[in-house]
Amino acid sequence: MKITKYILASMLILACSSCGDSWLDLEPSTYAQTDETINVLSDVAYALNGIYSTMQDPYAYSGRLVYYGDAAGDDMQAYSSTKRTGSAYLHSFTKDNMQSSYWSYPYTMITECNSILEQIDDIETVETDLRDYYKGQAYALRGMFLFDLTRIFGYPYKKDNGASLGAVIVKTVLDKDAKPARNTVAECYDAIIEDLLTAIDLMDNDEGNSYQKGHINRWGAMTLLSRVYLYHGDDQKALDMAKAAIEGAEAEGYSLWTTEEYPDAWSYDYSSSSKGEVLFEIVNTTDDDPGKEALGYLFHPDGYKDICLTSSFYELLMEDPDDVRLQLLVFSSKRAFVYKYQPEGDEIIQDANIPLLRLSETYLNAAEAAVKVGNNDDAVKYLDAIVRRANPANTVEGTEVTLERVMTERRKELVGEGEHYYDALRDGGYVDRHESSVTFSEISSTSHLTMDSDKMYFNWDYFRSVLPIPADEIDANPNMVQNPSYSSEN
């Protein structure tokens, strides 16, 4: 039977609702219209491709859901207050102007995952490994979406052992009249971990272990779970999961980029015969690109030049002028821009793919977890691979690796990939926006924009360290509770 889907219609509704149009009938985003009948595995493949297509949107993982994790922190900043990243950088969101896409896009995709999971077990097929792989993708993606919702709208787990409110856990396709309440951060993490463990188990076969361009596989799910475990404080589990992901992925032909490959590797067209280190990416093409709101165009000075490095982070990078990662910087208007979102071949910058999970992070997750459990041998082993790749003249062998050393390397390696803001706060640290103590002529026009002092230096106690629940969600659902201090904000 032909599948009837409403993804495009849903995306149009979301785009309109993000602009605050009052004529829309208000319905919670935990309900998203879907009418799909899944009878055969090709129907499941079609439905999964619909989810990946929604992820491709610039209001999802080709844009906002990634750049928020950079713009809100202290390593990158909006070029000006009127830029698209300006509200995230200036922490100027209120309960009334909050962009609803941060909340609604993940729930639209969670609904699609739930639709697959409610029907896939009824499919009779001899291709059971393929069915399990499809099912595993749905679980892994649902876990990813809930994780991002939880860390955007909920305080870090370690702040209060997850007692505060996070997102809404939705495991079924809800009726439009459903009015679910927010779950605690602890409950969200339990659900995220359960989904990812289920996904990893389902994908433990040739289908799930193999390279699937633009689709999450077992190694990507394991890397994501190792990250989740770090947020949750399960450090030994994080180490075990990251080590298993590294060993499994490398046995399948994945490998860290070499120093020589690194500057241009971001634009390679990877395949099953040449996997590289990208475990999961959003694939954009000239015929199917997310437009000029996407990261490739936002990050580049030939595009919207929307977001650049802070002077303090540039100073950190320049502590080693021979670090290969400096070759990813493009300079314009006396500012430094990160050029990780590189188009393939004859494509243009807005067509750039968006890497979401890389083997480099898996190594860094392993190193961080190893430090936290007191395993210096593993900390040296996994951190040294990243340090030597950045500059072969450097090493951490023969040293006692500290957590600060790992997190500094993590900042340098993952800048521009949407992680630093959460990394800065998840263990009780600070966002510290200050200017460089050194003058660099090539970025001499770089300085933080004018903002209140409480937005320049803060930790997880600052109420703006999480975003407000969009007003439409509060209005549509009487059981939805706003985050602290936003309700009383003028």
Side-chain angles (χ1 to χ4, degrees):
M1 180 180 294
K2 181 179 179 181
I3 298 175
T4 304
K5 294 181 65 66
Y6 292 89
I7 289 179
L8 294 178
S10 296
M11 290 172 65
L12 177 60
I13 291 171
L14 290 171
C16 292
S17 65
S18 68
C19 298
D21 292 315
S22 60
W23 50 267
L24 291 172
D25 291 332
L26 292 178
E27 293 173 344
S29 291
T30 46
Y31 160 75
Q33 186 178 17
T34 181
D35 180 13
E36 60 188 12
T37 301
I38 294 175
N39 292 322
V40 294
L41 287 182
S42 60
D43 294 344
V44 184
Y46 185 89
L48 282 169
N49 285 337
I51 298 171
Y52 290 117
S53 180
T54 306
M55 291 183 75
Q56 186 184 9
D57 193 277
Y59 287 171
Y61 288 90
S62 277
R64 282 182 183 170
L65 293 181
V66 175
Y67 74 58
Y68 175 74
D70 286 304
D74 47 18
D75 290 348
M76 300 192 76
Q77 65 177 84
Y79 186 96
S80 72
S81 61
T82 59
K83 290 294 188 180
R84 288 152 184 80
T85 57
S87 295
Y89 165 65
L90 293 169
H91 291 274
S92 61
F93 287 122
T94 69
K95 59 184 174 62
D96 296 319
N97 71 9
M98 177 61 203
Q99 294 167 337
S100 62
S101 60
Y102 283 98
W103 180 272
S104 56
Y105 266 76
Y107 278 114
T108 295
M109 294 183 287
I110 285 173
T111 296
E112 296 299 325
C113 292
N114 289 337
S115 181
I116 291 170
L117 293 172
E118 287 186 0
Q119 300 179 73
I120 193 169
D121 286 339
D122 294 331
I123 297 174
E124 294 184 6
T125 179
V126 296
E127 297 180 281
T128 54
D129 282 358
L130 184 59
R131 180 178 61 191
D132 284 348
Y133 175 48
Y134 286 164
K135 188 175 178 180
Q137 287 181 71
Y139 273 111
L141 293 172
R142 189 174 74 176
M144 172 181 280
F145 303 145
L146 182 59
F147 176 56
D148 284 330
L149 282 162
T150 302
R151 62 182 185 165
I152 290 172
F153 293 98
Y155 290 101
Y157 177 86
K158 292 182 181 181
K159 183 178 190 292
D160 54 8
N161 291 321
S164 54
L165 292 179
V168 178
I169 299 171
V170 182
K171 292 190 174 184
T172 61
V173 178
L174 297 179
D175 182 87
K176 66 179 181 179
D177 295 324
K179 301 293 188 291
R182 293 172 70 187
N183 293 89
T184 65
V185 168
E187 290 168 335
C188 289
Y189 272 94
D190 287 345
I192 294 160
I193 292 168
E194 181 182 16
D195 273 359
L196 291 173
L197 285 172
T198 301
I200 291 164
D201 184 58
L202 285 164
M203 292 192 285
D204 189 10
N205 55 47
D206 288 344
E207 295 285 350
N209 292 340
S210 65
Y211 177 88
Q212 302 286 345
K213 191 176 183 70
H215 289 217
I216 194 166
N217 65 8
R218 190 165 186 255
W219 319 119
M222 292 173 76
T223 293
L224 179 59
L225 181 54
S226 69
R227 185 200 299 173
V228 170
Y229 278 146
L230 288 172
Y231 280 63
H232 196 241
D234 301 322
D235 298 321
Q236 187 61 54
K237 290 181 179 179
L239 177 58
D240 294 343
M241 188 60 60
K243 289 174 69 174
I246 292 167
E247 292 167 6
E250 292 181 345
E252 288 290 327
Y254 292 90
S255 62
L256 291 177
W257 294 324
T258 66
T259 307
E260 293 72 27
E261 291 171 334
Y262 194 85
D264 300 317
W266 306 83
S267 65
Y268 291 174
D269 184 8
Y270 294 99
S271 65
S272 58
S273 61
S274 177
K275 297 182 176 69
E277 70 166 60
V278 176
L279 302 175
F280 177 41
E281 65 181 336
I282 302 300
V283 176
N284 296 314
T285 67
T286 300
D287 294 331
D288 184 26
D289 72 58
K292 293 183 178 180
E293 299 290 326
L295 296 176
Y297 207 81
L298 293 182
F299 274 54
H300 201 277
D302 289 340
Y304 285 142
K305 60 191 316 179
D306 209 285
I307 184 170
C308 59
L309 293 188
T310 61
S311 63
S312 60
F313 184 69
Y314 184 73
E315 179 182 8
L316 179 66
L317 285 178
M318 287 298 293
E319 289 179 357
D320 181 7
D322 295 323
D323 191 319
V324 71
R325 291 168 295 204
L326 285 166
Q327 295 183 37
L328 290 175
L329 301 185
V330 179
F331 296 90
S332 177
S333 304
K334 299 296 183 180
R335 295 170 176 85
F337 298 85
V338 177
Y339 189 38
K340 285 185 172 179
Y341 302 110
Q342 300 177 14
E344 298 176 3
D346 296 330
E347 294 177 350
I348 56 179
I349 53 176
Q350 67 200 55
D351 305 332
N353 292 351
I354 314 298
L356 296 180
L357 294 165
R358 293 194 291 124
L359 193 59
S360 287
E361 186 200 342
T362 326
Y363 272 75
L364 288 163
N365 291 351
E368 179 183 342
V371 170
K372 289 178 173 177
V373 300
N375 184 339
N376 192 62
D377 288 344
D378 276 349
V380 169
K381 175 182 177 180
Y382 293 110
L383 183 62
D384 200 56
I386 304 300
V387 169
R388 283 182 183 270
R389 195 261 305 279
N391 182 350
N394 294 336
T395 183
V396 293
E397 288 185 354
T399 70
E400 189 73 23
V401 175
T402 64
L403 183 59
E404 181 182 8
R405 181 69 181 85
V406 176
M407 299 310 289
T408 297
E409 201 65 32
R410 188 178 183 92
R411 290 176 70 180
K412 293 179 179 181
E413 182 61 34
L414 300 182
V415 64
E417 298 178 58
E419 293 301 314
H420 176 61
Y421 179 63
Y422 310 110
D423 287 340
L425 298 180
R426 60 181 164 87
D427 283 346
Y430 289 82
V431 167
D432 182 5
R433 292 168 161 176
H434 62 275
E435 305 300 347
S436 170
S437 60
V438 180
T439 299
F440 298 97
S441 60
E442 63 270 29
I443 62 160
S444 58
S445 293
T446 305
S447 63
H448 284 289
L449 306 181
T450 301
M451 66 185 86
D452 295 337
S453 60
D454 58 357
K455 299 174 182 178
M456 295 292 288
Y457 186 81
F458 61 88
N459 64 4
W460 60 26
D461 291 326
Y462 184 42
F463 81 96
R464 292 188 185 278
S465 66
V466 297
L467 290 181
I469 306 300
D472 284 354
E473 303 300 329
I474 299 292
D475 293 342
N477 184 352
N479 297 319
M480 189 63 62
V481 176
Q482 184 57 270
N483 273 326
S485 297
Y486 281 109
S487 294
S488 58
E489 184 185 37
N490 291 328

